[in-house]
Amino acid sequence: MTERKPALLAAGLVKRFPGVRALDGATLRMDPGSVHALLGENGAGKSTLIKILTGVHRPDAGTLSLAGRQITLHSPLDAVRAGIGVVHQERNLVPEFSVAENTTLHRTPTRRGLVDRDRMREDARRSLELIGLDLDVDTPVKELSVAQMQLVEIAKALSGDNRVLLLDEPTSALTLAEADRLLEVVRRLRDQGTSILLVSHKLEEVFAVADTVTVLRDGASVLEAAPLAAHSRDEVVGLMVGRSHQQVTFPPRTRDEEGPAALELDSVSTASGHRDVSLDVGRGEIVGLYGLVGAGRTELAKAVLGLDRITDGRILVAGQEARIGNVGQALNTHRIGYVPENRKEEGLFLDQPLTMNIAATVWPRIRRALGYVARRRERSLAEEYTERLGIRTSGTGQLVGQLSGGNQQKVSLAKWLAADTEILIIDEPTVGIDIRTKAAFHQVIWQLAADGMAILLITSDLPEMVTLADRIVVMRDFKVTGTVDNSHDYAETSQAVIGLVHHVDRPAA
């Protein structure tokens, strides 16, 4: 019996950057009609490998083959022409374009030198049919939900009959229900013969859908194209981090009940559409804010920071009504900090060093009489919080944009700790972060609360919520549907939370 040729084979890949050997002989084999997981910590070489497979980088050594035919990719367009589709973690759609225009963007059909819109729509419908998505192809992408956008990304990657599909953290911005739907699409595509590479830090998803697995560590393959069913979760994590990994659990913490709550929202309504929202966060307490994408969680946080208008109700800080007009006032007057979800656009200066990023929130305090910032004090702060949070860097002068995602998130947190915040709002703290860095980040958040900080935690990662939160406030349609006291028993708490997520108001009898 003739052995099937791999749908894609990357053999002995080496890639060097100045001072870094990002890939050190890595090998990846994907079989036809299978889901193959690519796992590894941040910095293991996954992103570099994906960029080689999509023509962004060329390897210094090694070969690429599709269906047994060796190929050389000089650009992303070469990868598209070869039949390799990719869905990146950060969406790459044009919001003002229609679903049809986005889906056929790399293969726009023409007739007599003009765009053939009828054929464009037909091609788009065919791609949507492959993933079971029923959409009007003339709908502008900006009108779609986050989950629909992600599915359109997949349809776009499948246009032109691509038989290899690379998915990089495809569910990072999706709720549990939306992620389940996307994984069903992945299974359907596999059954139709598509070879799929899944890059994900969510091991529960990997074990739910993947057939085989490759694990990268320090740029090398430490497990190659192995049947996933033959390995336990602990074995896979051990290969990723180079040692065994234990699920982190934390001892109970007690809220400081003396005096008023650190932060309280009393029947708050906002210009964004929140109605009668009430919640409180005590000193030394982590309160989770959970809900589907679009439930109004981030918008509520921004209203607290003065970035959205409060139309009714009150915000109280330490029992006193607070009228907050901007982030500076939230920090300097009320000691409220905010670690945003989109750290690259809202939280950090990527083209500046750690020193400037960590000290940014305290410049008014370290500015000299003539208006100059004390650089020595900047360095001192950067060194203190680099050590405290375990930020992996070549030095405090390193540009933040050169750090891994997990270390960037630690820098985003460090700048608020440097400002002596007493209340911290943290939005999606571990999206795109590997399992060991996530555990370390959880330890930091827990310890901040143990030291007396009041933390409002927004996360779509329900296991993360159950691990960290003392109470979980559930939102739907910009309203609070209920609060769950967290027992830290995942089955019990998650069932209660999901019940509130899908709560439907019933008219009075």
Side-chain angles (χ1 to χ4, degrees), residues 7-72:
L8 183 147
L9 177 62
L13 295 184
V14 174
K15 184 62 183 178
R16 304 179 190 87
F17 297 104
V20 177
R21 194 177 179 97
L23 289 178
D24 190 12
T27 293
L28 175 74
R29 175 192 173 111
M30 296 172 59
D31 290 325
S34 69
V35 178
H36 188 84
L38 177 63
L39 304 179
E41 294 191 278
N42 291 111
K46 302 188 305 297
S47 295
T48 302
L49 178 53
I50 292 291
K51 287 177 180 177
I52 288 175
L53 298 180
T54 54
V56 176
H57 292 326
R58 290 193 64 183
D60 298 314
T63 60
L64 295 179
S65 300
L66 276 175
R69 179 175 58 87
Q70 189 166 321
I71 60 171
T72 301

Side-chain angles (χ1 to χ4, degrees), residues 105 221 224 304 345 366 404-405 431 471 493:
L105 198 57
S221 308
E224 293 181 5
V304 172
E345 292 184 11
I366 63 175
S404 69
V431 168
R471 293 182 291 123
T493 299

Side-chain angles (χ1 to χ4, degrees), residues 355-392:
T355 48
M356 178 180 176
N357 275 274
I358 292 176
T361 54
V362 294
W363 279 339
R365 301 209 313 254
I366 63 175
R367 187 171 287 134
R368 294 175 182 244
L370 296 178
Y372 295 105
V373 173
R375 300 303 177 193
R376 182 178 299 175
R377 179 61 179 145
E378 270 193 345
R379 285 195 301 273
S380 175
L381 279 172
E383 289 167 358
E384 176 185 349
Y385 286 99
T386 295
E387 180 177 357
R388 179 176 172 184
L389 299 183
I391 300 171
R392 296 178 63 180

Side-chain angles (χ1 to χ4, degrees), residues 441-490:
F441 212 82
H442 287 174
Q443 178 67 55
V444 169
I445 294 172
W446 185 90
Q447 190 60 53
L448 290 173
D451 292 341
M453 185 177 288
I455 297 175
L456 184 63
L457 173 68
I458 302 171
T459 176
S460 300
D461 185 337
L462 192 49
E464 177 170 75
M465 186 70 82
V466 175
T467 296
L468 289 173
D470 300 297
R471 293 182 291 123
I472 302 171
V473 177
V474 180
M475 291 187 67
R476 177 187 173 96
D477 297 329
F478 286 67
K479 294 176 65 177
V480 170
T481 59
T483 301
V484 175
D485 289 325
N486 187 7
S487 67
H488 298 285
D489 178 288
Y490 181 76

Side-chain angles (χ1 to χ4, degrees), residues 147-174:
Q148 287 173 325
M149 289 182 188
Q150 194 72 318
L151 291 172
V152 169
E153 283 272 23
I154 293 177
K156 174 185 172 183
L158 289 170
S159 65
D161 297 322
N162 291 337
R163 306 306 289 168
V164 174
L165 178 62
L166 315 180
L167 301 178
D168 188 4
E169 298 287 351
T171 66
S172 60
L174 304 184

